[in-house]
Amino acid sequence: MYPQLAIEAAAQSDVGRRRSHNEDSFAALPCLGLFMVADGLGGNAAGEVASRMAIEVVKSCFEEDEELDETWPYGTATPHDRDEVRLVLSVRKANRAIYEASQRYEEARGMATTFAGVLLGPGMAYIAHVGDSRVYRLRNGKLERLTRDHSLLEELLGAGDGAREAVEALSSRARTITRALGADENVEIESRVEATAPGDIFLVCSDGLWGPVPERRIAGILGAHGDLGFAAELLIDLANEHGGPDNVTCVLARLGGG
């Protein structure tokens, strides 16, 4: 979508130490400025199908530059507004496709997936996510999380007065996902827009990375290694060294120029 942007990218995915197969899907598309991770929900039917569908549907919306069926006042919107809305509508289309497939095919009944994506445009990053896959940005050595998990624990903590309930929820239920693509006919997609700077590194990852690996360790690796491919390999290795409790996927994109 923005071939004029100088973007370096790398991506790695691994089954981890405790899973029999990988239900994560991802895409790193510098030519489109599009970087995505989807994590098929464990325990649900055909999670790997749902995650793959999410990535492919969103990708096709940008590759084919197709008109999305929802209306939007493009004539009055700024290019920045259009890019954010296009990303959100693409994710909404993916949700509908996954949900309809789960209703149509018995073997796919109940499939769902998280989603996190970044669209990099001139001077701006457009972020959309559902579930607990995350987007981070490393700038001047500081790692900042740009997404809020759609999980039971995060919602309790976000309520302001839910500290006691949040502590009580620190169990196997604390990480329960409260939002996912394909779980319902409609889904609330959270989005934000961030100004970018040359040298920014964006990390899109599944919970197989941020769950077992402290953020300070992630920041250390990204800050110490200029080769994104090598950094991605190290992050995967680190997740596995911390037990590899889940499939682990990381997608990295660094903005050049300046």
Side-chain angles (χ1 to χ4, degrees), residues 1 36 53 55 76 94 108 119-120 140 164 170 173 185:
M1 189 171 186
M36 305 176 284
M53 285 182 67
I55 298 299
T76 60
L119 175 65
L120 297 177
N140 298 324
R164 181 177 61 83
L170 287 174
R173 294 181 61 247
E185 187 173 5

Side-chain angles (χ1 to χ4, degrees), residues 1-2 4-5 62 72-74 76-88 119-127 191-196:
M1 189 171 186
Y2 296 114
Q4 74 274 24
L5 291 180
F62 286 89
W72 174 256
Y74 284 106
T76 60
T78 68
H80 293 327
D81 289 335
R82 291 198 295 269
D83 288 335
E84 180 185 10
V85 170
R86 186 169 189 80
L87 178 59
V88 171
L119 175 65
L120 297 177
M124 294 290 178
Y126 310 94
I127 298 162
S191 66
R192 67 186 288 175
V193 180
E194 288 285 327
T196 61

Side-chain angles (χ1 to χ4, degrees), residues 132-203:
D132 67 352
S133 290
R134 292 181 176 180
V135 177
Y136 291 91
R137 178 185 59 204
L138 184 79
R139 177 182 290 174
N140 298 324
K142 180 181 178 181
L143 188 70
E144 180 182 1
R145 175 154 60 113
L146 301 180
T147 54
R148 177 181 64 91
D149 298 341
H150 300 138
S151 65
L152 177 61
L153 179 59
E154 194 97 353
E155 291 189 0
L156 289 172
L157 289 171
D161 58 352
R164 181 177 61 83
E165 292 85 353
V167 171
E168 292 175 352
L170 287 174
S171 66
S172 59
R173 294 181 61 247
R175 294 272 294 275
T176 299
I177 300 301
T178 57
R179 240 183 271 182
L181 295 187
D184 295 294
E185 187 173 5
N186 297 298
V187 66
E188 183 180 353
I189 301 160
E190 192 164 343
S191 66
R192 67 186 288 175
V193 180
E194 288 285 327
T196 61
D200 280 351
I201 297 176
F202 289 88
L203 165 66

Side-chain angles (χ1 to χ4, degrees), residues 55-108:
I55 298 299
E56 291 302 320
V57 171
V58 175
K59 176 183 173 184
S60 69
C61 289
F62 286 89
E63 283 184 330
E64 300 168 13
D65 201 26
E66 64 180 73
E67 288 297 324
L68 299 171
D69 53 10
E70 289 91 344
T71 59
W72 174 256
Y74 284 106
T76 60
T78 68
H80 293 327
D81 289 335
R82 291 198 295 269
D83 288 335
E84 180 185 10
V85 170
R86 186 169 189 80
L87 178 59
V88 171
L89 295 186
S90 298
V91 179
R92 186 176 299 167
K93 182 175 180 179
N95 177 75
R96 186 165 57 247
I98 296 167
Y99 177 79
E100 290 177 354
S102 73
Q103 299 302 301
R104 189 177 305 118
Y105 304 108
E106 183 65 32
E107 63 274 17

